[in-house]
Amino acid sequence: MGGGGEASVQIDEPVLRKLIRAVADTVIAHADELTTLDQAIGDGDHGINMKRGFEAVLADLDKIAVQPLPKALHALGMTLVMKVGGASGPLYGTLFMQLGKSLPEQPTLADLTAAVAAAVEAVKARGKSDVGSKTLLDVLAPVLAALREGGDLLHRLPEVADAAADATIPMRAVRGRASFLGDRSIGHIDPGARSSALLVRAVCEALRAVA
Amino acid sequence: MSNVGIVIVSHSPDVAKGAADMVRQMVGEEVPLAWCGGNGEGGLGTDVAAIMQAIDRAWSEAGVAILVDLGGAETNSEMAIELLPEERQGRVVVCNAPIVEGAVVAATEASGGSSLEVVRATAEELSP
């Protein structure tokens, strides 16, 4: 990622491999936490499902990481679609596949911002949802806003994402199985918001390590 | 077969199979019918690849109507439709209807040779 005052990172196979591994390792390490969150307001399988998906990504890492960034993101997204199960598979799969569709092989910050904007719209369409409904969009939208503002993004984005995930606690779910709980969904962090914040932090920390 | 096909997608293979059994008993063999349920490991859930295979088994040139239970089944079914060959994408719809009643009503309509649009509309009359 280059431009906007950020240190420029050449996206090549070793970097891509590190990024994918960082994301997968983080999700797998937090699987129990995500499942516990989902037991509170969902059907209790978010951590298990995401772990299954990212284990499949790691199993295919050699095939995924040798491809240029757009194709690698498409392959990662397709693996999640096919392996995660539950609604989070198509939601995260759509997110990564849309990023793959939008990004060039060596993106600038402007490219990344435009791609995240397109991905947020794609996730909204896939989930028939919007910001404020206690979903992963409540993390992705503030992250997009922070990308547009610029600054020390690799440090700032994880903080924005964590704060946005915490901000889902008082929200009332209107999508997914949590919506059946009505007001009882209030008072818990949304599992999808939490997993999105974990992804953002993993990517930023991995980029900091290679920048 | 030229009648619209019906696909039943539940988180539970037992629910999906049970609904399909009811369709067969009440509507007979006049419509292509397939079901899927559960994740790839035998637990509760839905699986995009399994949905795509079910669409294939129930395929009809008149199109396929999908009945789903909960959120993930709908999201995964829509994802599966988008991953179909382009010429098939426009001929598969997810009905906003209760899974059991919707499947029986949709299959009954389909068995009379109705179009995909009519089959869907009839099933969706069940959802106020």
Side-chain angles (χ1 to χ4, degrees):
Chain A
M1 181 176 25
E6 288 294 306
S8 185
V9 176
Q10 182 77 14
I11 305 291
D12 55 15
E13 190 201 327
V15 168
L16 205 45
R17 187 178 286 273
K18 277 180 195 157
L19 283 172
I20 295 170
R21 187 171 279 288
V23 167
D25 286 347
T26 301
V27 169
I28 291 166
H30 287 80
D32 288 347
E33 179 200 336
L34 294 173
T35 289
T36 303
L37 289 174
D38 200 31
Q39 280 164 347
I41 61 167
D43 53 358
D45 61 3
H46 187 52
I48 299 163
N49 285 345
M50 292 290 278
K51 184 171 178 231
R52 181 190 311 119
F54 277 98
E55 280 174 348
V57 167
L58 285 183
D60 278 349
L61 185 59
D62 288 337
K63 272 187 264 172
I64 295 173
V66 293
Q67 304 182 66
L69 180 65
K71 285 188 173 161
L73 286 167
H74 180 84
L76 196 164
M78 187 60 81
T79 302
L80 295 181
V81 164
M82 290 301 175
K83 298 292 181 182
V84 170
S88 48
L91 290 171
Y92 277 113
T94 298
L95 175 74
F96 283 104
M97 286 195 279
Q98 183 61 53
L99 288 175
K101 215 181 274 182
S102 303
L103 285 172
E105 291 187 18
Q106 298 297 336
T108 63
L109 179 58
D111 293 330
L112 180 66
T113 305
V116 172
V120 167
E121 290 309 309
V123 172
K124 281 182 188 175
R126 172 71 57 217
K128 300 193 185 81
S129 189
D130 209 333
V131 175
S133 299
K134 202 177 179 95
T135 71
L136 70 169
L137 287 165
D138 292 308
V139 166
L140 299 179
V143 164
L144 172 60
L147 274 170
R148 285 177 169 145
E149 285 166 19
D152 180 10
L153 289 170
L154 295 184
H155 286 91
R156 191 154 158 260
L157 289 182
E159 289 168 18
V160 167
D162 284 346
D166 286 342
T168 64
I169 292 173
M171 290 181 183
R172 185 177 187 277
V174 294
R175 288 294 300 160
R177 237 151 303 171
S179 64
F180 298 159
L181 292 171
D183 285 343
R184 279 183 290 149
S185 66
I186 295 170
H188 300 275
I189 198 167
D190 178 65
R194 175 67 179 140
S195 55
S196 294
L198 287 170
L199 295 186
V200 170
R201 179 171 289 280
V203 169
C204 289
E205 288 180 354
L207 280 173
R208 260 149 58 186
V210 296
Chain B
M1 201 180 296
S2 58
N3 288 334
V4 168
I6 305 293
V7 166
I8 299 167
V9 180
S10 170
H11 282 65
S12 156
D14 292 340
V15 168
K17 180 179 183 305
D21 288 344
M22 289 177 67
V23 169
R24 276 284 175 245
Q25 184 173 352
M26 298 168 87
V27 183
E29 304 292 325
E30 295 305 306
V31 292
L33 173 69
W35 59 269
C36 62
N39 64 25
E41 296 166 345
L44 298 176
T46 51
D47 179 329
V48 171
I51 297 169
M52 293 174 74
Q53 288 159 13
I55 293 170
D56 203 47
R57 290 198 301 278
W59 184 253
S60 155
E61 290 306 309
V64 170
I66 305 179
L67 281 300
V68 299
D69 56 7
L70 301 169
E74 182 186 14
T75 315
N76 271 323
S77 295
E78 288 167 350
M79 190 83 233
I81 292 170
E82 275 181 40
L83 296 176
L84 292 173
E86 212 161 296
E87 66 274 15
R88 286 192 170 190
Q89 285 177 17
R91 284 188 281 168
V92 185
V93 297
V94 180
C95 302
N96 176 22
I99 188 164
V100 176
E101 295 91 329
V104 172
V105 167
T108 305
E109 188 67 47
S111 69
S114 296
S115 69
L116 180 61
E117 290 69 30
V118 172
V119 169
R120 178 190 202 167
T122 305
E124 294 191 350
E125 281 172 19
L126 293 164
S127 292

